[in-house]
Amino acid sequence: SLTKPEHFDAMAGREVDVKLYAPLDGEKEFCAVLEGLENGHVVLQYKGNVIKLPRNQFSSIRLAVQF
């Protein structure tokens, strides 16, 4: 799990598995590319768009497992 600000900076550009407390575009779980952390907001590339969500909206953010 990515929990500390330095985790977000170190893993920028990597795919992450995201779980939200409330749905975004009808989905609570999805895969996105982590851009980083900005003013307490997690910045992601999702469905071709850059989105910023407050950290407290995430139940978990983990590096995606690539096979």
Side-chain angles (χ1 to χ4, degrees):
S1 265
L2 304 177
T3 56
K4 297 181 181 178
E6 54 267 21
H7 293 162
F8 291 89
D9 292 335
M11 297 302 154
R14 306 266 309 264
E15 280 194 24
V16 290
D17 291 323
V18 174
K19 292 183 183 180
L20 300 173
Y21 290 115
L24 174 70
D25 292 336
E27 297 182 63
K28 288 176 75 174
E29 296 183 21
F30 56 90
C31 190
V33 175
L34 178 65
E35 292 288 312
L37 192 63
E38 186 177 295
N39 298 323
H41 287 67
V42 177
V43 183
L44 302 167
Q45 278 191 25
Y46 175 61
K47 292 186 175 179
N49 297 305
V50 174
I51 58 171
K52 296 180 184 179
L53 297 170
R55 282 179 69 182
N56 64 2
Q57 290 189 8
F58 295 84
S59 62
S60 79
I61 304 172
R62 299 174 188 257
L63 284 178
V65 177
Q66 307 269 331
F67 292 99

